[in-house]
Structures are given as C-alpha cells and as structure tokens.
Amino acid sequence: MTTEPTHVTNFLRNIVEEDLKSGKHKTIVTRFPPEPNGYLHIGHAKSICLNFGLARDFGGRCHLRFDDTNPVKEETEYIESIKESVSWLGFDWGGHMYYASDYFDQLYMWAEHLISQGKAYVDDLTAEQIREYRGTLTEPGKESPHRNRSVEENLDLFRRMREGEFPEGSKVLRARIDMASPNMNLRDPVMYRIIHAPHPHVGDKWRIYPMYDYAHGQSDAIEGITHSICTLEFEDHRPLYEWFLENLPVPHKPRQYEFSRLNLTYAVMSKRKLLQLVQDGDVAGWDDPRMPTLMGLRRRGYTPESIRSFCERIGVGRSDSWIEMGLLEECVREDLNERAPRAMAVLRPLKLVIENYPEDRVDEFEAANHPQKPEMGTRKISFCREVYIEQDDFMEEPVKGFHRLALGQEVRLRNAYIVKCTDVVKDAAGNVTEVRCTYDPDTHTGGPAAGRKVKGTIHWVSARHALAAEVRLYDRLFADPNPSGDDWKSCLNSKSVEVVTAMLEPGLRNAAPEERVQFERQGYFCADMKDSRPGAPVFNRTVTLRDSWSKPGK
RNA sequence: UGGGGUGUCGCCAAGCGGUAAGGCAAUGGACUCUGACUCCAUUAUUCCGAGGUUCGAAUCCUCGCACCCCAGCCA
C-alpha cells in the first residue's frame, strides 16, 4: 500500500475518526464497488483514493467488490481492466476481492424471508404498467392488483421465476413498502427481475438477478463494511438501503454516506458517453491517451502519484463541483518535474546552418539530465555544422518581447554555443526553409566566454545525429469546458491530437515503454506503452510545460 | 407544485458561536544556458439574500432565492 505525505481533512475522515474514537467501530472496513461494465476513469480514482485511503490511514481494510448484478451489461474484460487500474493506481485489496454475485444464494434466501414476512411480492405487471402505477413526483402511486397475494403464492411464483418458468419481463419481485411515499425509491421497488442470460462470473446458474438496491446493502452487511461510501445520487436510496437492513436478519449493519462525484472541465465522465466515444471511433479505444480513463491517462504519461495527488487536492465534499482540468495537469507537471530526465527534441524542425563551423567537425558536450538534480547525471550530446531548431524559435522579423532567434540577433543553443543569425533561405512561396548563422567559439559551457548573456536559449538537435521519430501531440479532448447537452459531441476538440515526425536526441532511441522524459522547453512526454519499439520510439505528449510567453490559455 | 441535497475568493476547500486556513489559477517582482523549475509579494471587513437571537454569527433561528438529484425490470 502506498503512503501519502499529508491529507486534507474532509467530512468522511471526521466521521471515521469519531466512530473510532467513540468506540462505535474498533476498525473500519470500506469498499470500492465498481460495476464491470466499462473502464475505470478519473472519477473512480477519487472514490478509490477515498475508500482505500481511509482504510490505509485508519488501519482498516478496503474491499474490491464487483457490483455484477446485471449480466447483460457486464463483461470479464472489464473486470481485468479494473483490477489492473486499481493496482496501477497503487492500491492493494489484500485478498479482499469479492463479487456481489458471490452472494446470490444468500440474497435469494433473504428474498424468500421477506416474502414470508409479507414484505415482498411477485408482480405480474408489465414494465410500462409498473411505471404508470408508480405515480409521479407530485402524485402518489397506486398499488398493484398483485400486491396482496398470499405468502404461499408469492413463494411459489418466486421459486418458479428462479426455475426459469417465466419469460423475461413477465414478472418481478417487489419489496412491499409504500406506494404513496414521497421518496420514489420506496414505492415498492423491484428486487429481482427475470433475465435468461448467463452471468460472466457465476455462469448459467440463475434466471433471476437482483437489482442494485437489493444487492448492495446486503453485500455490505455480509462483508462487514462499516462505512459504505457512494456518490450523491444514491442519497435518496439510503432509506431503502436501511429498510432492507432493518427487515432482514443481516449479520451487521453498515452505514451509507454520500459524497459528490468528480466533474472535470474539458472532459466527459459518464460511462455512457465514454462508451459512445469509443464506439463511434472518436477515440482509438478506452485507453486512448485523450480519454479520462485511468488506462488512457496512463498511456498519456500520467503517473499514479500525480493522480493520487490530484485526488488529495480536490477534496471530498457534498457540493456540486467542477474541477479545472488545469489542476490535473498541474499535478503531473509537479511530479514529472521531479522525476523526468531532460532531453532535447525538435518537434517542428527548421534547419540551421553554421557557416563558420567546419563541415567535418563534431563537438561533444556534456548535458545535465536534470538542472536541479546532479545525481541524475549527465549525457553526451553531439553538435555539428547543421542542427535543427524549432520553427517557432525563429522569426525573421521578431515581434516585441521575442527573445529567440531573429535575423541579426543572437541566441544560445542550449548546452552549446551562442549563434547569430546572418541570413535566411526561403522557398518559392516565401517560407523560411533554412536559417544561416555564425557561432561564437568561446561560448560553449566552460569556454572563455561561457558567461556571456543573450536574451534567450533555445533547444536543438544535431542534424547529422538526430533520430526521426513519431511524436503525438495530445491536447484536451474537448474544446468546451463543459461538453453537455445533446450535442456534447460538437464540443470535441478537432485538434486534440497532432502527429509529427520529430527530431530527437539519439539517446532516446531505445526508450522503454512508459519511459518519461521532459523535452526541454516543450513538455513532458512518455514512450507509448503499446506502439513504441526499441530503435523506433513513439512518444506521447503528456502535458506541455507552463508557458508564460505564449500564454496558451487553453 | 412532492421528496432529498447544496450554496465560503475565478476553480476546489477548511471552518462546527469568539472575530475568514490551505491548494490551484491570476497579478507584480527576483533568479535562470528550459520564457521551465524555484523564490518573494498581492488577492474575501466577508461567507446566496433579507430579517432575528447574542457582548459576539459563515457558524443558531425565521423567511426567501438559486442550483443539483429522484418517476430504469441501470448502477
């Protein structure tokens, strides 16, 4: 299990602290209960960090439980990805991995118990009729004509439902509570429905499957969960959660608490929308580096530490909130600034020729892998007469405040010499295709004029030694901070990815998958875990560096 | 117009009757062979609004207002 430096307090920590202090619980047990119907996303990370973090910090434990009550939506593939994501994030369920479907037998017996107490009944109404009978927000519902069947008849019908005697949709088991309740969840909620489909975890044993409301609290009870933490939309379900616990001989009474779910600007978080992006081909898959899924963020280059730090900083509360994407980005920068070695890479190359530098000469310079961390060592970089610089680092006619290279101006080539632009070469269309310079031989690091100050320093890569490689420049998936409404897809950022052939320092040739590096003055990059190969690396841009010059404001 | 929630700086968020933490962003400055990093400074006489209780209120009471969730045999 990971250790976190500090944590801000929140209302759930306070509750746990009090429960422990008062002796209400001697140890706490939480759980993270994903439904295996999609990949985990950054919103789940908030829940994971909360539940596992509470258990870690208060010496309790946290279960990983698959809420697999609906076999038609759930798949084994998702179970595997969920386990991988939780582990990757840095949490360990320590053998406490369960499935709601593990409890189907117990749940079934308890359902018969409710029936025998006259607290549940089999209803023959159709789905549409049930909806009509439920009433509306302002009008009470009315009771089903089947609501007062005898215990014997209900038991018989329910058993026959289990045996698969009835077609899907023809009958349901309902809790007998109150059709006039102002809380819609209490208007005789469905407990079981008939589904003639095999289950990914328990196979073809069942023809009836429990609903979330009936399964969740009892699963918590079976596992001895003390604090069952979910998101706010389940708040109205709490009376029902408690009703089942009150009316069933459960071994333990867990308590449900709710917190507000994560909303992130420039992103969508609902599994429905994420699935649609995948199915419509707007992204390359659940793990596309632009997706807010944990697998996507991982491929993008986000570290588990940065995501945990993010979850720590956003806090946990009950008010609706929209966290700025900039905060998530700042969290990776902060982490990667510490750990990513530096390298030079030219994303959009422009050739620079040094006229007074001999054709056949090569200089080797020593470059620091991290400006503030000498322990990260140095590397040798080669310099020759022709180098590539960034197109953006040259302006024939510089605007005010531009301290890079311009005609007649000097600039330092990082880790090498100061050069002065003497001429430009253009193509027929007038585009600059080459920059001509002279260099000052005394200005290399350690040279007699090394201390000479010039306005700017730019990165470069030796043309003779450069390694051409694919680099994917990712940006936010959405152009609008709040992609909502029916036309949320129209908010997609058409420039969310640009693939370029960049010129890299040759030392990057054999970058390992997921190796992270800062391309100086550009941003943090990560060798793609799927497509990068030794000798032919492929880098994904995780995030740009902050840039107070161009103020991207994006 | 039923029920359940929430409203503290641009975005989060502490605060729980004793006189508005912190983070991110922003702004100004220092430093700099990354316009990065780091550093220093500035940013709520005010807590959705209006009354009230109190020596004292963001915190208690009353009445409003705004926003979110609930009418799946989804979770």
Side-chain angles (χ1 to χ4, degrees):
Chain A
M1 199 81 75
T2 57
T3 53
E4 230 61 27
T6 49
H7 35 247
V8 301
T9 183
N10 62 55
F11 78 101
L12 290 169
R13 294 193 88 88
N14 293 340
I15 287 170
V16 168
E17 215 150 22
E18 282 162 27
D19 288 349
L20 251 16
K21 200 166 75 182
S22 72
K24 179 175 177 184
H25 299 296
K26 60 183 189 310
T27 181
I28 64 155
V29 186
T30 57
R31 103 267 90 114
F32 172 60
E35 181 189 12
N37 68 344
Y39 282 59
L40 259 27
H41 55 65
I42 184 76
H44 293 108
K46 178 179 181 181
S47 175
I48 293 169
C49 290
L50 212 208
N51 280 295
F52 280 93
L54 243 20
R56 173 196 63 211
D57 298 338
F58 291 96
R61 63 175 197 269
C62 180
H63 299 178
L64 171 62
R65 180 169 76 229
F66 291 101
D67 222 330
D68 56 350
T69 55
N70 188 351
V72 305
K73 288 179 139 188
E74 297 150 9
E75 296 172 25
T76 309
E77 175 201 349
Y78 295 132
I79 291 175
E80 292 313 309
S81 81
I82 288 168
K83 281 153 62 176
E84 187 179 350
S85 290
V86 173
S87 296
W88 176 76
L89 233 203
F91 295 99
D92 180 4
W93 48 87
H96 294 283
M97 186 180 80
Y98 307 107
Y99 293 81
S101 55
D102 290 337
Y103 314 131
F104 281 1
D105 286 311
Q106 175 66 263
L107 258 15
Y108 177 83
M109 290 189 286
W110 278 337
E112 287 207 351
H113 175 83
L114 285 175
I115 291 172
S116 67
Q117 301 289 303
K119 289 172 179 166
Y121 63 97
V122 171
D123 198 352
D124 303 345
L125 255 30
T126 64
E128 303 79 70
Q129 288 173 314
I130 286 179
R131 193 186 328 121
E132 286 161 18
Y133 276 64
R134 188 152 32 221
T136 69
L137 295 178
T138 52
E139 303 157 26
K142 57 184 183 192
E143 299 183 351
S144 165
H146 312 290
R147 196 172 195 261
N148 296 311
R149 286 214 249 236
S150 69
V151 168
E152 294 66 36
E153 187 183 4
N154 278 319
L155 236 27
D156 173 63
L157 255 16
F158 187 48
R159 286 172 183 161
R160 287 160 64 192
M161 280 169 66
R162 181 189 58 185
E163 298 313 313
E165 206 174 297
F166 306 116
E168 285 191 13
S170 61
K171 284 178 170 44
V172 291
L173 180 73
R174 292 228 253 172
R176 196 166 183 276
I177 307 181
D178 177 7
M179 288 308 291
S181 173
N183 182 342
M184 300 295 281
N185 295 298
L186 263 18
R187 317 245 267 225
D188 289 10
V190 173
M191 292 168 57
Y192 273 91
R193 71 289 216 190
I194 299 169
I195 298 176
H196 291 177
H199 187 281
H201 185 61
V202 292
D204 57 6
K205 181 173 180 185
W206 299 89
R207 250 107 292 178
I208 56 173
Y209 291 93
M211 298 288 287
Y212 163 85
D213 283 309
Y214 180 62
H216 203 90
Q218 282 62 264
S219 299
D220 286 340
I222 291 167
E223 293 179 18
I225 301 299
T226 54
H227 301 261
S228 180
I229 302 169
C230 60
T231 44
L232 245 22
E233 64 270 28
F234 292 100
E235 191 163 21
D236 288 342
H237 295 239
R238 196 168 65 219
L240 177 55
Y241 179 99
E242 289 169 348
W243 187 90
F244 283 125
L245 295 175
E246 285 304 318
N247 288 284
L248 255 14
V250 293
H252 165 84
K253 291 223 175 68
R255 179 81 155 84
Q256 173 181 303
Y257 299 91
E258 310 86 18
F259 70 99
S260 58
R261 67 188 317 147
L262 170 65
N263 291 300
L264 242 199
T265 59
Y266 298 98
V268 294
M269 214 67 90
S270 87
K271 280 197 214 171
R272 196 198 102 240
K273 287 179 178 173
L274 294 176
L275 214 211
Q276 197 179 333
L277 289 170
V278 172
Q279 291 179 336
D280 295 354
D282 296 303
V283 294
W286 285 99
D287 64 349
D288 185 294
R290 292 165 295 179
M291 291 283 271
T293 52
L294 293 177
M295 297 293 267
L297 289 165
R298 177 181 181 179
R299 258 187 97 181
R300 178 79 168 255
Y302 276 76
T303 57
E305 291 82 356
S306 66
I307 292 173
R308 278 187 257 129
S309 164
F310 172 75
C311 292
E312 194 70 38
R313 290 193 202 192
I314 58 177
V316 178
R318 288 173 59 85
S319 56
D320 294 323
S321 63
W322 281 88
I323 305 294
E324 292 173 341
M325 179 65 89
L327 179 59
L328 213 209
E329 294 170 343
E330 187 50 29
C331 288
V332 233
R333 285 194 192 100
E334 184 184 86
D335 186 32
L336 261 17
N337 175 50
E338 289 294 313
R339 60 208 286 180
R342 317 281 123 128
M344 294 198 285
V346 175
L347 270 20
R348 297 180 178 83
L350 171 63
K351 187 169 281 187
L352 181 153
V353 180
I354 302 163
E355 296 176 313
N356 59 340
Y357 192 97
E359 190 85 53
D360 55 354
R361 180 170 153 197
V362 173
D363 277 321
E364 279 218 325
F365 295 115
E366 197 84 8
N369 290 331
H370 190 114
Q372 280 83 231
K373 291 176 181 279
E375 67 275 19
M376 285 179 75
T378 60
R379 67 191 186 283
K380 292 254 195 278
I381 51 176
S382 302
F383 183 87
C384 67
R385 187 170 193 266
E386 297 189 353
V387 303
Y388 291 112
I389 63 168
E390 211 67 57
Q391 289 171 19
D392 284 351
D393 286 338
F394 176 78
M395 284 187 94
E396 191 175 3
E397 291 172 38
V399 296
K400 187 163 63 73
F402 184 79
H403 8 131
R404 277 109 96 152
L405 191 62
L407 197 52
Q409 298 296 309
E410 283 189 316
V411 77
R412 174 174 290 281
L413 294 180
R414 179 138 168 94
N415 297 124
Y417 303 102
I418 289 174
V419 294
K420 179 175 189 171
C421 178
T422 54
D423 198 9
V424 297
V425 179
K426 298 179 184 177
D427 63 16
N431 302 308
V432 175
T433 56
E434 190 177 299
V435 178
R436 312 290 291 192
C437 288
T438 56
Y439 83 113
D440 179 341
D442 293 336
T443 54
H444 65 272
T445 306
R452 239 183 85 198
K453 302 292 182 196
V454 287
K455 280 185 301 185
T457 299
I458 64 175
H459 60 277
W460 55 274
V461 171
S462 163
R464 194 181 304 165
H465 308 273
L467 167 69
E470 178 176 334
V471 175
R472 300 161 180 170
L473 305 175
Y474 291 109
D475 199 353
R476 295 167 177 178
L477 222 206
F478 290 90
D480 189 292
N482 182 11
S484 59
D486 290 337
D487 60 340
W488 60 278
K489 282 242 239 154
S490 68
C491 302
L492 276 166
N493 176 9
S494 60
K495 295 191 271 290
S496 60
V497 62
E498 180 186 358
V499 180
V500 299
T501 298
M503 294 298 176
L504 314 183
E505 272 184 32
L508 261 10
R509 180 178 304 278
N510 296 315
E514 293 197 86
E515 188 170 318
R516 298 176 176 90
V517 59
Q518 181 197 98
F519 290 168
E520 291 197 272
R521 303 208 311 131
Q522 306 281 249
Y524 295 98
F525 292 73
C526 178
D528 190 89
M529 56 192 288
K530 277 187 168 175
D531 303 328
S532 198
R533 296 280 178 276
V538 174
F539 283 95
N540 298 330
R541 182 172 67 197
T542 307
V543 67
T544 61
L545 250 32
R546 289 183 61 154
D547 181 357
S548 57
W549 160 245
S550 62
K551 293 251 176 70
K554 50 185 184 176

